Amino acid sequence: MIVMINGELKDSISVSDRGLQYGDGLFETIAVKNGECEHWTDHMMRLLAGCKRLNIPEPDIQQCLVEAQQLCSEQSHAVLKVIITRGSGGRGYAFPEIITSTRILSIHPWPSYPSINTSLGIHLHLCKTVLSQQPLLAGLKHLNRLEQVIARNEWQDSEISEGLMSDMDGHIIEGTTSNVFAVINGELVTPALDKCGVAGIMRAQVLQHANAYGMLVCEKKLTLNDLLNAEEVFVCNSIIKIWPVRKILDTQYKVIGDMTMKLMNGLT
Amino acid sequence: MIVMINGELKDSISVSDRGLQYGDGLFETIAVKNGECEHWTDHMMRLLAGCKRLNIPEPDIQQCLVEAQQLCSEQSHAVLKVIITRGSGGRGYAFPEIITSTRILSIHPWPSYPSINTSLGIHLHLCKTVLSQQPLLAGLKHLNRLEQVIARNEWQDSEISEGLMSDMDGHIIEGTTSNVFAVINGELVTPALDKCGVAGIMRAQVLQHANAYGMLVCEKKLTLNDLLNAEEVFVCNSIIKIWPVRKILDTQYKVIGDMTMKLMNGLT
């Protein structure tokens, strides 16, 4: 793992950093192909919006780009993770008087997912771990991820590629590392993320493409029953792009459905 | 700040540590007086119980004690923070195949709270930030503390010493860094922490002392109205012990009430 912290090549961070102490920060997971960071601007816009909501001083995006290019230029296929924390200091939870955010860029190997995840679709596990509702944090890709850690470790079966998470009202929200879409009566539906969940960059891409294709698109509350009765289901994130879903519980889906296929082709 | 990581005197940690990446860990905040860690066994028991719930391998408590003694022996008045994380590794949120937890002990100066907090009581701010409900994490002192960070930064007024947090159902749960108690019709009441909140060591001490004194004691749901109509209110944690509450919104309380006083005397 190659790591750059505030522009310096090093891989360790002060214990006093609020990222460790409180999970007081945000992150982005970015696909790197042939030295280029995919959807760079979208990732940085989301990061800035997140900083604004959490009152973290905006990182220097231009500097971030310079560092990302330096780290990624020779990477043909890799993952860049960008973490911004509120830095060190402050008395307990109170912000420091002067906040100097910490900027961490790290390069990771491209994960070796089976290619059949894309071609034949995946099996989704239904997580027992339920997402808590916190509108103040909903949509953000913040560093408080214990719920996802617990949910992801509900299964070891390698046949299962992702876990589906609901909120306490029984509404489907997202995968542990992905957003979820369903085609219901010809309409492309994805859960509203006003109470919990991460508003993914690939989710936004899918919505944008679907709109451009003239598909009927809707963000709304979605139950498990809605999902089990859907014509098509898929999950997406910046790394995997789209994985069609073949199976949830005993429900089998057509893979690859027409709308899913059209979106997959559009996003490549 | 003096820091020891896995027994080594150093103050920085790998960026890959899951404590930073996901807030995947737990902590204890321990009062150190004349070289002794107060309620050491209680803190370690809670830490072990937390590790068990989160499936983090139990840290070596004996080793932890040796290190704590080494760090604290010459401290007349200080705070020891112990952090246990799930260490580094794993593919995304999935646990590493072999988990080697990270053990971080750090010594901090004793905070200089005004002595009138104890003698005259404090003014409590009512936080707009609401605690999310997550029974899987309720009671644990885990590293996902963004809600407390947001709540603590609702006020700057130095007249306010603590913020009171409710859950989304409007039940009072705790302070941002403390537990809360009320005397209602002669009974000592503290919020049930089955859906959110941290089950503090000093909270347990208060309950234990109250029982020993033959006080009527109850853990139950508590509304703001219950609190505003209480005879006495106080907050507690391992560092401050007990602070009587003088004021919430426009409601003034008798300071120091009889039961609060008895418990304060018992805990010194």
Side-chain angles (χ1 to χ4, degrees):
Chain A
M1 189 173 71
I2 309 169
V3 188
M4 197 175 261
I5 304 176
N6 294 334
E8 201 182 331
L9 276 172
K10 61 175 191 176
D11 60 5
S12 66
I13 187 174
S14 168
V15 162
S16 66
D17 196 279
R18 297 171 65 99
L20 170 68
Q21 295 284 331
Y22 312 129
D24 192 4
L26 298 154
F27 70 106
E28 296 290 330
T29 310
I30 304 171
V32 180
K33 302 229 176 108
N34 302 317
E36 295 287 325
C37 296
E38 292 190 338
H39 304 297
W40 174 259
T41 306
D42 295 339
H43 282 289
M44 290 303 108
M45 288 298 113
R46 179 173 65 172
L47 196 57
L48 291 179
C51 286
K52 193 162 186 179
R53 272 177 68 189
L54 291 183
N55 280 302
I56 294 174
E58 290 191 359
D60 184 335
I61 294 302
Q62 192 52 41
Q63 190 57 35
C64 220
L65 177 61
V66 169
E67 291 164 13
Q69 285 172 335
Q70 191 178 335
L71 289 180
C72 298
S73 62
E74 291 177 14
Q75 301 288 340
S76 62
H77 220 180
V79 175
L80 172 68
K81 189 163 177 177
V82 178
I83 297 178
I84 301 292
T85 80
R86 205 186 305 273
S88 289
R91 179 154 163 175
Y93 298 128
F95 296 165
E97 282 185 35
I98 298 163
I99 302 172
T100 308
S101 62
T102 304
R103 187 175 69 253
I104 306 169
L105 281 75
S106 55
I107 291 283
H108 308 258
W110 188 262
S112 56
Y113 296 119
S115 61
I116 55 164
N117 286 8
T118 304
S119 57
L120 297 182
I122 63 164
H123 185 170
L124 275 190
H125 164 74
L126 202 64
C127 294
K128 286 194 294 278
T129 304
V130 157
L131 288 163
S132 61
Q133 298 177 334
Q134 178 50 277
L136 290 174
L137 298 175
L140 296 180
K141 206 166 165 76
H142 56 71
L143 292 174
N144 280 199
R145 302 257 71 104
L146 262 173
E147 290 179 339
Q148 282 72 24
V149 168
I150 296 172
R152 173 58 191 86
N153 289 279
E154 285 185 20
W155 79 93
Q156 267 70 47
D157 184 351
S158 61
E159 293 293 301
I160 295 171
S161 304
E162 175 59 307
L164 198 59
M165 300 186 75
S166 311
D167 66 12
M168 58 186 279
D169 296 331
H171 295 118
I172 298 292
I173 302 295
E174 60 188 2
T176 63
T177 61
S178 62
N179 290 115
V180 62
F181 282 81
V183 177
I184 299 173
N185 299 324
E187 186 179 38
L188 185 70
V189 182
T190 194
L193 302 178
D194 52 329
K195 292 187 178 166
C196 47
V198 175
I201 295 299
M202 198 49 58
R203 176 180 184 270
Q205 282 289 316
V206 167
L207 290 172
Q208 194 179 317
H209 278 73
N211 278 312
Y213 295 150
M215 293 177 180
L216 285 172
V217 177
C218 180
E219 293 178 54
K220 65 177 178 188
K221 288 192 166 68
L222 204 63
T223 65
L224 175 60
N225 219 32
D226 292 336
L227 215 57
L228 295 180
N229 288 301
E231 294 107 67
E232 305 175 27
V233 175
F234 65 84
V235 297
C236 66
N237 73 29
S238 292
I239 307 304
I240 65 173
K241 295 209 168 147
I242 288 178
W243 282 346
V245 172
R246 188 180 71 243
K247 194 176 173 198
I248 307 176
L249 301 173
D250 291 330
T251 300
Q252 303 261 359
Y253 299 92
K254 180 193 167 192
V255 169
I256 301 173
D258 295 346
M259 284 172 72
T260 304
M261 180 64 94
K262 187 158 188 180
L263 289 162
M264 288 174 78
N265 288 336
L267 287 168
T268 52
Chain B
M1 188 173 74
I2 309 168
V3 189
M4 197 173 260
I5 304 177
N6 294 336
E8 199 183 332
L9 276 170
K10 61 175 191 176
D11 60 6
S12 67
I13 187 173
S14 168
V15 161
S16 66
D17 195 279
R18 297 171 65 100
L20 170 67
Q21 296 284 331
Y22 312 128
D24 192 6
L26 298 155
F27 70 107
E28 295 290 329
T29 308
I30 303 170
V32 180
K33 301 224 176 112
N34 302 317
E36 293 289 325
C37 295
E38 293 190 340
H39 303 298
W40 174 260
T41 305
D42 295 339
H43 283 289
M44 290 304 107
M45 288 298 112
R46 180 173 64 173
L47 197 56
L48 291 179
C51 286
K52 192 161 186 181
R53 271 178 67 190
L54 292 183
N55 282 302
I56 294 174
E58 290 192 359
D60 183 337
I61 294 303
Q62 192 52 41
Q63 189 59 33
C64 219
L65 177 61
V66 169
E67 292 165 12
Q69 284 172 334
Q70 189 178 338
L71 288 180
C72 298
S73 62
E74 291 177 15
Q75 301 288 340
S76 62
H77 219 182
V79 175
L80 171 69
K81 190 165 176 176
V82 178
I83 297 178
I84 301 291
T85 80
R86 204 185 305 271
S88 289
R91 179 156 165 174
Y93 298 129
F95 297 166
E97 279 185 38
I98 298 163
I99 301 172
T100 309
S101 62
T102 303
R103 185 175 73 251
I104 307 170
L105 281 75
S106 55
I107 291 283
H108 307 258
W110 188 261
S112 55
Y113 296 118
S115 61
I116 55 166
N117 286 9
T118 304
S119 57
L120 298 180
I122 63 163
H123 184 170
L124 275 190
H125 165 74
L126 201 64
C127 294
K128 287 194 293 280
T129 305
V130 157
L131 288 164
S132 61
Q133 298 177 335
Q134 178 51 276
L136 289 174
L137 299 175
L140 296 181
K141 206 166 166 76
H142 56 71
L143 291 173
N144 279 199
R145 301 257 72 103
L146 263 173
E147 291 181 338
Q148 282 72 24
V149 168
I150 296 173
R152 174 58 191 86
N153 289 280
E154 285 186 21
W155 80 91
Q156 268 70 48
D157 184 351
S158 60
E159 294 293 301
I160 296 170
S161 304
E162 176 59 306
L164 197 59
M165 301 188 74
S166 311
D167 67 10
M168 57 185 284
D169 295 331
H171 295 118
I172 299 292
I173 303 295
E174 61 187 1
T176 62
T177 61
S178 61
N179 289 115
V180 62
F181 282 82
V183 178
I184 298 173
N185 300 324
E187 186 179 37
L188 186 69
V189 183
T190 195
L193 302 178
D194 52 330
K195 291 187 178 166
C196 46
V198 175
I201 295 300
M202 196 50 58
R203 177 180 183 269
Q205 281 290 314
V206 167
L207 290 172
Q208 194 178 318
H209 277 73
N211 278 313
Y213 296 150
M215 293 177 179
L216 286 171
V217 177
C218 181
E219 294 178 53
K220 65 176 177 187
K221 287 192 167 67
L222 204 64
T223 65
L224 175 60
N225 219 33
D226 293 335
L227 214 58
L228 296 179
N229 288 302
E231 294 109 68
E232 305 176 28
V233 176
F234 65 84
V235 297
C236 66
N237 73 30
S238 293
I239 307 304
I240 66 173
K241 296 210 166 146
I242 287 178
W243 282 346
V245 173
R246 189 179 71 243
K247 195 179 172 195
I248 307 175
L249 299 174
D250 292 330
T251 300
Q252 302 262 358
Y253 299 91
K254 180 192 169 195
V255 169
I256 302 173
D258 295 346
M259 283 171 72
T260 305
M261 179 64 94
K262 187 159 188 180
L263 290 162
M264 287 173 80
N265 289 336
L267 288 168
T268 53

